[in-house]
Amino acid sequence: MLCSGKKSYFAAAVCIMTVTSMLAVSYMKLQSLSHQPKVIQEGRRCRGKIAISTITALEGNKTFIISPYFDDRESKVTRLIGIVHHKDVKQLYCWFCCQANGKIYVSKAKIDVHSDRFGFPYGAADIVCLEPKTCNPTHVSIHQSPYGNIDQLPRFEIKNRKPETFSVDFTVCISAMFGNYNNVLQFIQSMEMYKILGVQKVVIYKNNCSHLMEKVLKFYIEEGTVEVIPWPINSHLRVSSAWHFMQDGTHIGYYGQITALNDCIYRNMERSKFVVLNDADEIILPLKHPDWKTMMNSLQEQNPGTSVFLFENHIFPETVSSHTFNISSWNTVPGVNILQHVYREPDRKNVMNPRKMIVDPRKVIQTSVHSVLRAYGKSVYVPMDVALIYHCRKGLQGNLPRESLIRDTTLWRYNSSLIINVNKVLSQTMLQTQN
C-alpha cells in the first residue's frame, strides 16, 4: 500500500507539472499572438501628419516619442525610443500603414522602461512592436488603443530601414546641453581634441545655450562636424539638473540625458563604426596610442567579442592652474583653458571612479550613462595605463592643496596642433582679440 501510495503521488506530481507546463506554453503563445500585427483596415492611404519635433507628446497619455528605429537583430521590429511614466503607462499600440497594399496593421507594444530611472517617475523606455511580415512600413503611429482613426495620429518615420555603409569611424554623443551653456573656450578645445583623436561627427542634444555658444555651434555645423538635435524636454516635463530624484516635484533627471544617449546610439547605428558617450568637458586621452583608431584596433584585437569599452574618469580641478599656455588672446573668450589644468585628483578610498564608454552601436540594446544595461557581447574596463578620461571641472575632493594632486601632462602631447586649431576657430568665428 505504501509503495502504491508513493506511485500515485509521483503520478499526480508528474500530471501537475505537465499541466502547468502546458498552461505556461499556452500562455506564452497567447502573449506572443497578442503582440502579432493584425489587419484592422484595408484600402486606406497613409494620411496622418508626420511628426517633425524631436520630442512628441502623445495626447493625454504620459508618453513622449523621440524616434522609431528598425531593428532586426532578433526579430523584425520597430523600436521606438521614448519617455514614459513608469506606473501609469500600461498599454500602447503601433499602427503601421502599408502603402503597398493599403492595409493598416495594429501591433501591441512591449513597453520596456529602462532600469536606471534613479527614482524619477518618468524614465527612458523602449516601445517595441513586431512589424507586419508582408510589408516594410516606412512610418508608424502610436496610440493607447487598437481602435481609432489613424488620420488623427502623428506619423513617425522609421529610421535605419536601409542598411548603410559606415560614413565615419567615431561619433561623439553629447547629451543635454542646458543651463544657458557658455563654456565656449573649453567646448572649442574639446571639439578640436576630438578631431585630432579621430572624430568625424559630434551629435549634441541642445536644450539651450548662450548666444556666443550658438555662434560656435553654427560654425561647427557649417563645417560638417556637429549635428545639433533640438531637445526641448522642459516644454513637456519638469526637469531636474541632478541625476537622482529628491522628492522635489520633478519628473525626470538630468534633462532626460539617458533617453538622449539611447537615441544617439540608434541614430548612429548604421553610419558610425563606434559611438563615444561622454560630456563636452570630457576627453578620452590615449596614453599608449596616438589616436582613438589605433587604440581601438589594439583593444579589439586584445578583447575579441567585446562591444563596450569603459574608460575611467579622472577629475582635473579647474581651480588649480599652471602658468604654462597662458595665451592672452584666449583670455577674452568665456570658459576654461584646459591646457592650464594638468593636476588631477588622487583616487578616493572605497570610491569607484565613474566610467564613460566607446561602444559598437550595433551591439547595444539599452545604455545608461556609465554602463550599458543590455548589449550583445562583453564589456571591458580599459586599464588606466592605456587611456583615461581627462575631465576638467569643479573638483570633487574639496580644495586639495597642489601637492596632494597628481601632475599629469598627457594633454600637452597635443598642445601644438590644439593651439593652432583653436586659434583658427576663434579667428573664423571672430571671437579672438588681436594683441
Side-chain angles (χ1 to χ4, degrees):
M1 289 294 292
L2 185 61
C3 183
S4 168
K6 282 185 177 179
K7 283 183 179 178
S8 62
Y9 284 137
F10 177 75
V14 169
C15 183
I16 290 167
M17 287 172 67
T18 303
V19 171
T20 304
S21 298
M22 290 172 63
L23 287 171
V25 169
S26 299
Y27 176 76
M28 294 298 288
K29 283 183 177 178
L30 283 170
Q31 285 293 97
S32 176
L33 285 171
S34 71
H35 288 83
Q36 292 293 329
K38 300 176 182 66
V39 177
I40 60 163
Q41 293 177 31
E42 297 192 47
R44 292 292 308 272
R45 295 181 62 191
C46 308
R47 292 188 182 132
K49 189 176 179 182
I50 294 177
I52 55 173
S53 301
T54 312
I55 304 172
T56 302
L58 296 191
E59 191 173 338
N61 197 34
K62 297 186 178 181
T63 301
F64 304 88
I65 302 300
I66 314 305
S67 192
Y69 297 93
F70 176 61
D71 186 353
D72 63 350
R73 291 173 295 180
E74 292 181 19
S75 55
K76 186 185 169 192
V77 302
T78 291
R79 181 185 300 271
L80 295 103
I81 305 299
I83 298 169
V84 304
H85 191 287
H86 79 287
K87 281 186 179 177
D88 295 350
V89 179
K90 301 291 188 189
Q91 199 164 268
L92 293 170
Y93 293 84
C94 291
W95 292 46
F96 296 105
C97 186
C98 292
Q99 296 277 17
N101 58 19
K103 293 180 180 179
I104 295 171
Y105 295 81
V106 168
S107 177
K108 187 177 181 181
K110 177 188 174 187
I111 304 167
D112 188 358
V113 182
H114 293 203
S115 56
D116 273 11
R117 197 171 37 81
F118 302 112
F120 289 92
Y122 284 84
D126 291 359
I127 300 161
V128 183
C129 290
L130 287 169
E131 291 188 355
K133 292 178 181 177
T134 54
C135 81
N136 295 316
T138 58
H139 293 77
V140 64
S141 299
I142 305 295
H143 195 33
Q144 57 196 354
S145 168
Y147 309 104
N149 183 354
I150 193 170
D151 296 347
Q152 304 300 315
L153 304 176
R155 291 167 63 208
F156 300 91
E157 182 185 357
I158 303 170
K159 299 184 174 75
N160 297 349
R161 172 64 65 189
K162 295 178 182 176
E164 301 176 37
T165 54
F166 302 139
S167 55
V168 299
D169 286 325
F170 293 96
T171 296
V172 173
C173 293
I174 296 174
S175 61
M177 178 180 279
F178 62 89
N180 201 34
Y181 184 90
N182 195 43
N183 192 354
V184 175
L185 181 58
Q186 185 172 356
F187 178 85
I188 293 171
Q189 290 175 326
S190 292
M191 290 293 299
E192 295 308 314
M193 275 300 301
Y194 296 154
K195 285 155 68 177
I196 289 168
L197 292 167
V199 172
Q200 297 98 341
K201 181 68 72 175
V202 179
V203 180
I204 298 170
Y205 287 73
K206 180 177 74 73
N207 181 261
N208 63 44
C209 63
S210 71
H211 177 71
L212 202 59
M213 192 65 224
E214 290 279 11
K215 195 174 180 180
V216 173
L217 289 176
K218 184 174 183 289
F219 167 81
Y220 281 115
I221 292 167
E222 290 173 355
E223 183 189 66
T225 305
V226 161
E227 178 183 358
V228 169
I229 310 296
W231 194 244
I233 190 166
N234 50 334
S235 300
H236 302 284
L237 294 167
R238 290 196 298 276
V239 296
S240 170
S241 56
W243 63 269
H244 62 287
F245 188 52
M246 295 187 291
Q247 300 289 340
D248 56 359
T250 51
H251 292 140
I252 196 165
Y254 215 70
Y255 282 73
Q257 176 189 33
I258 292 176
T259 309
L261 290 175
N262 280 274
D263 181 71
C264 198
I265 283 175
Y266 280 89
R267 188 178 291 265
N268 294 284
M269 190 169 277
E270 297 293 335
R271 62 188 187 186
S272 187
K273 187 175 181 182
F274 294 106
V275 166
V276 185
L277 305 175
N278 65 214
D279 295 334
D281 58 0
E282 297 171 332
I283 302 163
I284 296 172
L285 284 181
L287 277 73
K288 290 185 174 179
H289 307 90
D291 53 42
W292 287 355
K293 187 170 186 176
T294 314
M295 177 183 72
M296 291 308 297
N297 285 342
S298 174
L299 285 171
Q300 285 191 307
E301 200 174 290
Q302 294 168 29
N303 302 279
T306 298
S307 54
V308 178
F309 297 86
L310 297 113
F311 298 83
E312 196 171 297
N313 195 305
H314 287 271
I315 305 297
F316 289 71
E318 60 188 31
T319 51
V320 181
S321 299
S322 162
H323 295 298
T324 314
F325 302 113
N326 182 14
I327 301 168
S328 58
S329 60
W330 292 1
N331 292 337
T332 57
V333 182
V336 174
N337 175 6
I338 61 175
L339 284 172
Q340 291 191 289
H341 301 284
V342 289
Y343 292 89
R344 60 179 166 85
E345 293 184 346
D347 289 340
R348 292 165 287 175
K349 285 184 178 179
N350 305 318
V351 176
M352 287 278 291
N353 291 328
R355 295 175 186 262
K356 294 295 178 71
M357 297 173 279
I358 297 180
V359 305
D360 176 349
R362 289 153 306 286
K363 300 291 180 61
V364 175
I365 303 170
Q366 292 179 356
T367 192
S368 187
V369 179
H370 302 294
S371 65
V372 295
L373 302 177
R374 291 176 60 203
Y376 309 103
K378 297 181 293 185
S379 294
V380 163
Y381 284 176
V382 176
M384 192 181 152
D385 65 343
V386 175
L388 60 78
I389 295 178
Y390 173 94
H391 190 182
C392 184
R393 51 155 287 169
K394 182 181 177 183
L396 291 181
Q397 298 186 51
N399 297 315
L400 286 175
R402 187 185 294 252
E403 54 269 22
S404 298
L405 300 173
I406 301 161
R407 189 170 186 267
D408 184 339
T409 58
T410 306
L411 186 67
W412 286 359
R413 293 191 310 185
Y414 304 91
N415 73 78
S416 298
S417 299
L418 183 60
I419 291 169
I420 290 168
N421 295 355
V422 169
N423 280 337
K424 197 178 291 183
V425 175
L426 292 175
S427 173
Q428 291 179 3
T429 54
M430 295 179 291
L431 296 180
Q432 192 173 49
T433 58
Q434 300 299 320
N435 293 326

